[in-house]
Amino acid sequence: MSRMVFVNGDLVPEEQATVSVFDHGYLYGDGVFEGIRAYDGKIFRLEEHVDRLYESAHCIMMEIPYTREQMQRAIIDTVKANGLRDAYIRVVVSRGKGDLGMNPKNCPGCQIVIIAGKIAVFPPELYEDGIEAVTVPTRRNVVGALDPRIKSLNYLNNIMAHIEATRAGAREALMLNSEGYVTEGAADNIFVYRRGVLWTPPKYLGILEGITREAVMGLARGEGIPVEESPITRHDIYTGDECFVTGTAAEIMPIVEVDSRVVGTGKPGPVTRRLTELYRELVIEEGTPLE
Ligand code: PMP
């Protein structure tokens, strides 16, 4: 059976799910997106993801012609139409078909696509061993240009970071902002546990406000671990006891080496392990049922 893809209100077989070459998402990266996950028949933090999608759209002055409830429904229906209980869901809203000029006024309506499938960004054994990260030359987009809080279709900044890390032989990129503060990974937020405090960069430094990040901060606080959203430098990570990245796709991935400096013991630490355990419980317990 072919995969069913939601395109502007219709669920169509993958082969028929096409977008115009004149779509400004394709021509200019003009649009926004979300990556969402369903676990055991429940969509994790669906409302938060849809809210972020609408906030991103609002910031690029693009009006999505659905209510948030309709969008949630469309996401649920797409997962169900594919008979999935565990899924990775990609929602893409682009400015739509226009002409070759960049003026969004020439795009009469946005293009809404929802794809439900599977994703495995890292082989499972790496969650046991952890991975290496490197600081990459490409800096994170500055807040005053395209704020990284907008999850836009312009992912070249992140793709550059990913390529640079991979070419350097590392699995994860550590992106700094223009002042040299740590921001995030190529598609994940970063945490460092150092001297009894869990640190993560604040959103004003230029990060995506990750939904997994939020969930992990909540779990850590619930465990009595102090959490600080505060600027961190590479030094904090090199000298940290534990480090990990978080994201919908990657979940919680331990970082055991950064720029050839071993972090902590060089193995995923107890705080990372405990938060991973709690996160795995949370995603199964919580969520919007696929009904
Ligand atoms: N930062 C960036 C740049 C991302 O693309 C993602 C993935 N959406 C994240 C962080 C993690 O966000 P979330 O936990 O909401 O998936």
mmCIF file of all heavy atoms in Angstrom, residues 77-123:
data_model
loop_
_atom_site.group_PDB
_atom_site.id
_atom_site.type_symbol
_atom_site.label_atom_id
_atom_site.label_comp_id
_atom_site.label_asym_id
_atom_site.label_seq_id
_atom_site.Cartn_x
_atom_site.Cartn_y
_atom_site.Cartn_z
ATOM 1 N N ASP A 77 -5.467 12.735 11.291
ATOM 2 C CA ASP A 77 -6.029 11.967 10.175
ATOM 3 C C ASP A 77 -4.939 11.393 9.274
ATOM 4 O O ASP A 77 -5.077 10.280 8.755
ATOM 5 C CB ASP A 77 -6.973 12.849 9.341
ATOM 6 C CG ASP A 77 -8.260 13.179 10.097
ATOM 7 O OD1 ASP A 77 -8.521 12.535 11.140
ATOM 8 O OD2 ASP A 77 -8.988 14.098 9.661
ATOM 9 N N THR A 78 -3.868 12.140 9.101
ATOM 10 C CA THR A 78 -2.784 11.660 8.233
ATOM 11 C C THR A 78 -2.085 10.450 8.866
ATOM 12 O O THR A 78 -1.778 9.474 8.180
ATOM 13 C CB THR A 78 -1.776 12.792 7.945
ATOM 14 O OG1 THR A 78 -2.490 13.916 7.469
ATOM 15 C CG2 THR A 78 -0.728 12.365 6.929
ATOM 16 N N VAL A 79 -1.874 10.515 10.154
ATOM 17 C CA VAL A 79 -1.223 9.377 10.835
ATOM 18 C C VAL A 79 -2.138 8.150 10.744
ATOM 19 O O VAL A 79 -1.699 7.043 10.405
ATOM 20 C CB VAL A 79 -0.882 9.715 12.305
ATOM 21 C CG1 VAL A 79 -0.242 8.519 13.006
ATOM 22 C CG2 VAL A 79 0.030 10.923 12.381
ATOM 23 N N LYS A 80 -3.421 8.385 11.008
ATOM 24 C CA LYS A 80 -4.385 7.272 10.974
ATOM 25 C C LYS A 80 -4.504 6.666 9.573
ATOM 26 O O LYS A 80 -4.589 5.446 9.423
ATOM 27 C CB LYS A 80 -5.756 7.755 11.451
ATOM 28 C CG LYS A 80 -5.823 7.836 12.968
ATOM 29 C CD LYS A 80 -7.040 8.533 13.472
ATOM 30 C CE LYS A 80 -8.318 7.787 13.186
ATOM 31 N NZ LYS A 80 -9.479 8.567 13.685
ATOM 32 N N ALA A 81 -4.505 7.518 8.566
ATOM 33 C CA ALA A 81 -4.651 7.031 7.185
ATOM 34 C C ALA A 81 -3.499 6.115 6.787
ATOM 35 O O ALA A 81 -3.618 5.335 5.841
ATOM 36 C CB ALA A 81 -4.722 8.209 6.230
ATOM 37 N N ASN A 82 -2.384 6.208 7.517
ATOM 38 C CA ASN A 82 -1.232 5.361 7.211
ATOM 39 C C ASN A 82 -1.118 4.178 8.171
ATOM 40 O O ASN A 82 -0.119 3.453 8.153
ATOM 41 C CB ASN A 82 0.042 6.207 7.207
ATOM 42 C CG ASN A 82 0.095 7.112 5.987
ATOM 43 O OD1 ASN A 82 0.392 6.655 4.897
ATOM 44 N ND2 ASN A 82 -0.256 8.375 6.159
ATOM 45 N N GLY A 83 -2.135 4.030 9.015
ATOM 46 C CA GLY A 83 -2.167 2.902 9.943
ATOM 47 C C GLY A 83 -0.994 2.879 10.907
ATOM 48 O O GLY A 83 -0.565 1.801 11.340
ATOM 49 N N LEU A 84 -0.478 4.063 11.245
ATOM 50 C CA LEU A 84 0.702 4.104 12.113
ATOM 51 C C LEU A 84 0.310 4.391 13.568
ATOM 52 O O LEU A 84 -0.586 5.191 13.823
ATOM 53 C CB LEU A 84 1.663 5.202 11.646
ATOM 54 C CG LEU A 84 2.271 5.025 10.251
ATOM 55 C CD1 LEU A 84 2.924 6.320 9.791
ATOM 56 C CD2 LEU A 84 3.295 3.902 10.272
ATOM 57 N N ARG A 85 1.002 3.732 14.480
ATOM 58 C CA ARG A 85 0.846 4.061 15.906
ATOM 59 C C ARG A 85 2.101 4.768 16.422
ATOM 60 O O ARG A 85 2.062 5.553 17.354
ATOM 61 C CB ARG A 85 0.561 2.801 16.737
ATOM 62 C CG ARG A 85 -0.856 2.261 16.505
ATOM 63 C CD ARG A 85 -1.158 1.062 17.362
ATOM 64 N NE ARG A 85 -1.051 1.311 18.790
ATOM 65 C CZ ARG A 85 -1.968 1.979 19.502
ATOM 66 N NH1 ARG A 85 -3.043 2.440 18.920
ATOM 67 N NH2 ARG A 85 -1.797 2.148 20.796
ATOM 68 N N ASP A 86 3.217 4.462 15.771
ATOM 69 C CA ASP A 86 4.472 5.158 16.056
ATOM 70 C C ASP A 86 4.875 5.837 14.756
ATOM 71 O O ASP A 86 4.957 5.173 13.726
ATOM 72 C CB ASP A 86 5.555 4.170 16.484
ATOM 73 C CG ASP A 86 5.242 3.579 17.840
ATOM 74 O OD1 ASP A 86 5.523 4.242 18.846
ATOM 75 O OD2 ASP A 86 4.659 2.471 17.875
ATOM 76 N N ALA A 87 5.079 7.134 14.820
ATOM 77 C CA ALA A 87 5.346 7.835 13.560
ATOM 78 C C ALA A 87 6.169 9.091 13.780
ATOM 79 O O ALA A 87 6.197 9.649 14.879
ATOM 80 C CB ALA A 87 4.022 8.226 12.897
ATOM 81 N N TYR A 88 6.846 9.481 12.719
ATOM 82 C CA TYR A 88 7.454 10.810 12.659
ATOM 83 C C TYR A 88 6.635 11.574 11.635
ATOM 84 O O TYR A 88 6.400 11.087 10.530
ATOM 85 C CB TYR A 88 8.924 10.724 12.237
ATOM 86 C CG TYR A 88 9.550 12.091 12.127
ATOM 87 C CD1 TYR A 88 9.971 12.780 13.254
ATOM 88 C CD2 TYR A 88 9.693 12.703 10.888
ATOM 89 C CE1 TYR A 88 10.517 14.044 13.159
ATOM 90 C CE2 TYR A 88 10.243 13.978 10.783
ATOM 91 C CZ TYR A 88 10.659 14.638 11.926
ATOM 92 O OH TYR A 88 11.195 15.898 11.831
ATOM 93 N N ILE A 89 6.151 12.734 12.018
ATOM 94 C CA ILE A 89 5.225 13.491 11.172
ATOM 95 C C ILE A 89 5.879 14.806 10.748
ATOM 96 O O ILE A 89 6.403 15.541 11.592
ATOM 97 C CB ILE A 89 3.921 13.812 11.953
ATOM 98 C CG1 ILE A 89 3.350 12.527 12.578
ATOM 99 C CG2 ILE A 89 2.904 14.507 11.056
ATOM 100 C CD1 ILE A 89 2.600 12.764 13.866
ATOM 101 N N ARG A 90 5.847 15.078 9.463
ATOM 102 C CA ARG A 90 6.395 16.326 8.957
ATOM 103 C C ARG A 90 5.246 17.183 8.415
ATOM 104 O O ARG A 90 4.491 16.724 7.555
ATOM 105 C CB ARG A 90 7.409 15.996 7.846
ATOM 106 C CG ARG A 90 8.008 17.169 7.111
ATOM 107 C CD ARG A 90 8.759 18.110 8.007
ATOM 108 N NE ARG A 90 9.773 17.495 8.830
ATOM 109 C CZ ARG A 90 11.043 17.295 8.447
ATOM 110 N NH1 ARG A 90 11.456 17.667 7.273
ATOM 111 N NH2 ARG A 90 11.904 16.737 9.282
ATOM 112 N N VAL A 91 5.105 18.364 8.966
ATOM 113 C CA VAL A 91 4.095 19.305 8.488
ATOM 114 C C VAL A 91 4.848 20.438 7.787
ATOM 115 O O VAL A 91 5.756 21.026 8.384
ATOM 116 C CB VAL A 91 3.266 19.901 9.653
ATOM 117 C CG1 VAL A 91 2.174 20.825 9.133
ATOM 118 C CG2 VAL A 91 2.687 18.805 10.531
ATOM 119 N N VAL A 92 4.504 20.695 6.546
ATOM 120 C CA VAL A 92 5.176 21.743 5.782
ATOM 121 C C VAL A 92 4.125 22.716 5.251
ATOM 122 O O VAL A 92 3.179 22.293 4.586
ATOM 123 C CB VAL A 92 5.975 21.158 4.585
ATOM 124 C CG1 VAL A 92 6.732 22.262 3.848
ATOM 125 C CG2 VAL A 92 6.927 20.068 5.035
ATOM 126 N N VAL A 93 4.293 23.966 5.587
ATOM 127 C CA VAL A 93 3.387 24.980 5.044
ATOM 128 C C VAL A 93 4.245 25.997 4.306
ATOM 129 O O VAL A 93 5.054 26.707 4.920
ATOM 130 C CB VAL A 93 2.553 25.684 6.140
ATOM 131 C CG1 VAL A 93 1.523 26.612 5.494
ATOM 132 C CG2 VAL A 93 1.854 24.677 7.041
ATOM 133 N N SER A 94 4.100 26.010 2.995
ATOM 134 C CA SER A 94 4.907 26.945 2.213
ATOM 135 C C SER A 94 4.023 28.075 1.711
ATOM 136 O O SER A 94 2.797 27.987 1.755
ATOM 137 C CB SER A 94 5.567 26.224 1.044
ATOM 138 O OG SER A 94 4.571 25.814 0.139
ATOM 139 N N ARG A 95 4.656 29.112 1.224
ATOM 140 C CA ARG A 95 3.915 30.294 0.760
ATOM 141 C C ARG A 95 2.998 29.940 -0.412
ATOM 142 O O ARG A 95 2.029 30.614 -0.678
ATOM 143 C CB ARG A 95 4.919 31.374 0.340
ATOM 144 C CG ARG A 95 4.305 32.706 0.080
ATOM 145 C CD ARG A 95 4.044 33.537 1.320
ATOM 146 N NE ARG A 95 5.249 33.898 2.027
ATOM 147 C CZ ARG A 95 5.259 34.649 3.139
ATOM 148 N NH1 ARG A 95 4.131 35.102 3.656
ATOM 149 N NH2 ARG A 95 6.389 34.929 3.751
ATOM 150 N N GLY A 96 3.318 28.870 -1.094
ATOM 151 C CA GLY A 96 2.463 28.405 -2.189
ATOM 152 C C GLY A 96 2.989 28.803 -3.553
ATOM 153 O O GLY A 96 4.056 29.408 -3.685
ATOM 154 N N LYS A 97 2.199 28.448 -4.550
ATOM 155 C CA LYS A 97 2.594 28.685 -5.939
ATOM 156 C C LYS A 97 2.509 30.163 -6.279
ATOM 157 O O LYS A 97 1.501 30.816 -5.983
ATOM 158 C CB LYS A 97 1.652 27.882 -6.842
ATOM 159 C CG LYS A 97 2.045 27.853 -8.276
ATOM 160 C CD LYS A 97 1.077 27.001 -9.056
ATOM 161 C CE LYS A 97 1.291 27.253 -10.538
ATOM 162 N NZ LYS A 97 0.236 26.684 -11.346
ATOM 163 N N GLY A 98 3.576 30.672 -6.870
ATOM 164 C CA GLY A 98 3.573 32.067 -7.293
ATOM 165 C C GLY A 98 4.216 32.175 -8.650
ATOM 166 O O GLY A 98 4.131 31.240 -9.451
ATOM 167 N N ASP A 99 4.882 33.304 -8.899
ATOM 168 C CA ASP A 99 5.644 33.380 -10.148
ATOM 169 C C ASP A 99 7.129 33.369 -9.796
ATOM 170 O O ASP A 99 7.499 33.103 -8.653
ATOM 171 C CB ASP A 99 5.216 34.595 -10.981
ATOM 172 C CG ASP A 99 5.436 35.907 -10.221
ATOM 173 O OD1 ASP A 99 6.197 35.898 -9.228
ATOM 174 O OD2 ASP A 99 4.844 36.922 -10.628
ATOM 175 N N LEU A 100 7.979 33.686 -10.765
ATOM 176 C CA LEU A 100 9.419 33.573 -10.495
ATOM 177 C C LEU A 100 9.959 34.698 -9.615
ATOM 178 O O LEU A 100 11.054 34.585 -9.082
ATOM 179 C CB LEU A 100 10.199 33.497 -11.809
ATOM 180 C CG LEU A 100 10.076 32.158 -12.543
ATOM 181 C CD1 LEU A 100 10.808 32.214 -13.889
ATOM 182 C CD2 LEU A 100 10.649 31.013 -11.699
ATOM 183 N N GLY A 101 9.189 35.740 -9.483
ATOM 184 C CA GLY A 101 9.615 36.814 -8.591
ATOM 185 C C GLY A 101 9.372 36.409 -7.148
ATOM 186 O O GLY A 101 8.590 35.497 -6.872
ATOM 187 N N MET A 102 10.020 37.107 -6.231
ATOM 188 C CA MET A 102 9.876 36.644 -4.842
ATOM 189 C C MET A 102 8.685 37.245 -4.099
ATOM 190 O O MET A 102 8.402 36.843 -2.985
ATOM 191 C CB MET A 102 11.164 36.894 -4.061
ATOM 192 C CG MET A 102 11.414 38.320 -3.740
ATOM 193 S SD MET A 102 12.848 38.421 -2.669
ATOM 194 C CE MET A 102 12.667 40.102 -2.138
ATOM 195 N N ASN A 103 7.992 38.170 -4.715
ATOM 196 C CA ASN A 103 6.892 38.852 -4.025
ATOM 197 C C ASN A 103 5.806 37.859 -3.573
ATOM 198 O O ASN A 103 5.115 37.270 -4.394
ATOM 199 C CB ASN A 103 6.290 39.901 -4.968
ATOM 200 C CG ASN A 103 5.312 40.802 -4.244
ATOM 201 O OD1 ASN A 103 4.939 40.537 -3.098
ATOM 202 N ND2 ASN A 103 4.890 41.868 -4.908
ATOM 203 N N PRO A 104 5.625 37.722 -2.260
ATOM 204 C CA PRO A 104 4.629 36.760 -1.763
ATOM 205 C C PRO A 104 3.198 37.135 -2.151
ATOM 206 O O PRO A 104 2.315 36.288 -2.118
ATOM 207 C CB PRO A 104 4.799 36.816 -0.243
ATOM 208 C CG PRO A 104 5.997 37.633 0.021
ATOM 209 C CD PRO A 104 6.294 38.443 -1.185
ATOM 210 N N LYS A 105 2.993 38.371 -2.531
ATOM 211 C CA LYS A 105 1.640 38.802 -2.952
ATOM 212 C C LYS A 105 1.177 38.021 -4.180
ATOM 213 O O LYS A 105 -0.015 37.906 -4.437
ATOM 214 C CB LYS A 105 1.658 40.302 -3.281
ATOM 215 C CG LYS A 105 1.675 41.173 -2.053
ATOM 216 C CD LYS A 105 0.675 42.336 -2.213
ATOM 217 C CE LYS A 105 0.345 42.997 -0.900
ATOM 218 N NZ LYS A 105 1.476 43.755 -0.366
ATOM 219 N N ASN A 106 2.121 37.501 -4.933
ATOM 220 C CA ASN A 106 1.751 36.742 -6.133
ATOM 221 C C ASN A 106 1.489 35.259 -5.837
ATOM 222 O O ASN A 106 1.333 34.458 -6.750
ATOM 223 C CB ASN A 106 2.837 36.895 -7.203
ATOM 224 C CG ASN A 106 2.935 38.346 -7.655
ATOM 225 O OD1 ASN A 106 1.928 39.043 -7.716
ATOM 226 N ND2 ASN A 106 4.138 38.808 -7.919
ATOM 227 N N CYS A 107 1.463 34.926 -4.558
ATOM 228 C CA CYS A 107 1.131 33.548 -4.167
ATOM 229 C C CYS A 107 -0.269 33.594 -3.553
ATOM 230 O O CYS A 107 -0.446 34.072 -2.427
ATOM 231 C CB CYS A 107 2.119 33.017 -3.135
ATOM 232 S SG CYS A 107 3.824 33.099 -3.657
ATOM 233 N N PRO A 108 -1.272 33.119 -4.278
ATOM 234 C CA PRO A 108 -2.645 33.263 -3.776
ATOM 235 C C PRO A 108 -2.963 32.443 -2.527
ATOM 236 O O PRO A 108 -3.859 32.810 -1.765
ATOM 237 C CB PRO A 108 -3.520 32.827 -4.943
ATOM 238 C CG PRO A 108 -2.623 32.363 -6.019
ATOM 239 C CD PRO A 108 -1.209 32.530 -5.612
ATOM 240 N N GLY A 109 -2.281 31.354 -2.310
ATOM 241 C CA GLY A 109 -2.618 30.576 -1.114
ATOM 242 C C GLY A 109 -1.488 29.666 -0.722
ATOM 243 O O GLY A 109 -0.697 29.237 -1.571
ATOM 244 N N CYS A 110 -1.370 29.371 0.576
ATOM 245 C CA CYS A 110 -0.249 28.509 0.953
ATOM 246 C C CYS A 110 -0.528 27.046 0.655
ATOM 247 O O CYS A 110 -1.664 26.637 0.411
ATOM 248 C CB CYS A 110 0.255 28.747 2.356
ATOM 249 S SG CYS A 110 -0.913 28.921 3.623
ATOM 250 N N GLN A 111 0.543 26.321 0.656
ATOM 251 C CA GLN A 111 0.525 24.895 0.312
ATOM 252 C C GLN A 111 0.746 24.146 1.620
ATOM 253 O O GLN A 111 1.725 24.389 2.317
ATOM 254 C CB GLN A 111 1.690 24.669 -0.660
ATOM 255 C CG GLN A 111 1.985 23.248 -1.020
ATOM 256 C CD GLN A 111 1.075 22.752 -2.133
ATOM 257 O OE1 GLN A 111 0.592 23.515 -2.953
ATOM 258 N NE2 GLN A 111 0.830 21.458 -2.142
ATOM 259 N N ILE A 112 -0.173 23.227 1.937
ATOM 260 C CA ILE A 112 -0.059 22.494 3.206
ATOM 261 C C ILE A 112 0.157 21.015 2.914
ATOM 262 O O ILE A 112 -0.666 20.381 2.242
ATOM 263 C CB ILE A 112 -1.326 22.697 4.067
ATOM 264 C CG1 ILE A 112 -1.542 24.200 4.318
ATOM 265 C CG2 ILE A 112 -1.226 21.928 5.384
ATOM 266 C CD1 ILE A 112 -2.840 24.536 4.990
ATOM 267 N N VAL A 113 1.255 20.503 3.409
ATOM 268 C CA VAL A 113 1.582 19.094 3.194
ATOM 269 C C VAL A 113 1.859 18.444 4.551
ATOM 270 O O VAL A 113 2.546 19.029 5.392
ATOM 271 C CB VAL A 113 2.822 18.953 2.266
ATOM 272 C CG1 VAL A 113 3.311 17.519 2.202
ATOM 273 C CG2 VAL A 113 2.515 19.470 0.860
ATOM 274 N N ILE A 114 1.299 17.259 4.755
ATOM 275 C CA ILE A 114 1.591 16.500 5.986
ATOM 276 C C ILE A 114 1.997 15.091 5.581
ATOM 277 O O ILE A 114 1.265 14.402 4.858
ATOM 278 C CB ILE A 114 0.373 16.456 6.940
ATOM 279 C CG1 ILE A 114 -0.163 17.878 7.209
ATOM 280 C CG2 ILE A 114 0.751 15.756 8.250
ATOM 281 C CD1 ILE A 114 -1.487 17.907 7.976
ATOM 282 N N ILE A 115 3.171 14.697 6.042
ATOM 283 C CA ILE A 115 3.701 13.362 5.719
ATOM 284 C C ILE A 115 3.883 12.609 7.033
ATOM 285 O O ILE A 115 4.472 13.150 7.980
ATOM 286 C CB ILE A 115 5.065 13.455 4.998
ATOM 287 C CG1 ILE A 115 4.990 14.390 3.783
ATOM 288 C CG2 ILE A 115 5.565 12.073 4.582
ATOM 289 C CD1 ILE A 115 6.351 14.813 3.238
ATOM 290 N N ALA A 116 3.404 11.384 7.085
ATOM 291 C CA ALA A 116 3.623 10.565 8.288
ATOM 292 C C ALA A 116 4.488 9.375 7.883
ATOM 293 O O ALA A 116 4.165 8.662 6.939
ATOM 294 C CB ALA A 116 2.295 10.098 8.860
ATOM 295 N N GLY A 117 5.587 9.220 8.582
ATOM 296 C CA GLY A 117 6.489 8.110 8.259
ATOM 297 C C GLY A 117 7.280 7.722 9.482
ATOM 298 O O GLY A 117 6.794 7.832 10.612
ATOM 299 N N LYS A 118 8.513 7.278 9.243
ATOM 300 C CA LYS A 118 9.383 6.848 10.348
ATOM 301 C C LYS A 118 10.689 7.597 10.223
ATOM 302 O O LYS A 118 11.075 8.002 9.128
ATOM 303 C CB LYS A 118 9.665 5.344 10.244
ATOM 304 C CG LYS A 118 8.407 4.482 10.256
ATOM 305 C CD LYS A 118 8.224 3.853 11.612
ATOM 306 C CE LYS A 118 6.880 3.134 11.664
ATOM 307 N NZ LYS A 118 6.459 2.757 12.960
ATOM 308 N N ILE A 119 11.382 7.735 11.316
ATOM 309 C CA ILE A 119 12.707 8.356 11.260
ATOM 310 C C ILE A 119 13.608 7.701 12.299
ATOM 311 O O ILE A 119 13.144 7.315 13.378
ATOM 312 C CB ILE A 119 12.624 9.886 11.477
ATOM 313 C CG1 ILE A 119 13.863 10.590 10.935
ATOM 314 C CG2 ILE A 119 12.392 10.230 12.934
ATOM 315 C CD1 ILE A 119 13.730 12.110 10.827
ATOM 316 N N ALA A 120 14.872 7.524 11.937
ATOM 317 C CA ALA A 120 15.869 7.052 12.914
ATOM 318 C C ALA A 120 17.125 7.841 12.586
ATOM 319 O O ALA A 120 17.822 7.536 11.626
ATOM 320 C CB ALA A 120 16.099 5.562 12.778
ATOM 321 N N VAL A 121 17.343 8.919 13.342
ATOM 322 C CA VAL A 121 18.498 9.756 13.018
ATOM 323 C C VAL A 121 19.816 9.129 13.450
ATOM 324 O O VAL A 121 20.850 9.385 12.859
ATOM 325 C CB VAL A 121 18.383 11.195 13.578
ATOM 326 C CG1 VAL A 121 17.578 12.087 12.678
ATOM 327 C CG2 VAL A 121 17.838 11.230 14.972
ATOM 328 N N PHE A 122 19.769 8.301 14.486
ATOM 329 C CA PHE A 122 20.991 7.658 14.972
ATOM 330 C C PHE A 122 20.740 6.165 15.164
ATOM 331 O O PHE A 122 19.646 5.779 15.601
ATOM 332 C CB PHE A 122 21.408 8.239 16.331
ATOM 333 C CG PHE A 122 21.779 9.694 16.301
ATOM 334 C CD1 PHE A 122 21.011 10.633 16.967
ATOM 335 C CD2 PHE A 122 22.908 10.122 15.616
ATOM 336 C CE1 PHE A 122 21.356 11.986 16.957
ATOM 337 C CE2 PHE A 122 23.264 11.468 15.597
ATOM 338 C CZ PHE A 122 22.489 12.403 16.264
ATOM 339 N N PRO A 123 21.738 5.341 14.884
ATOM 340 C CA PRO A 123 21.579 3.911 15.194
ATOM 341 C C PRO A 123 21.387 3.719 16.711
ATOM 342 O O PRO A 123 21.982 4.463 17.501
ATOM 343 C CB PRO A 123 22.899 3.287 14.735
ATOM 344 C CG PRO A 123 23.640 4.343 14.015
ATOM 345 C CD PRO A 123 23.038 5.667 14.330
#
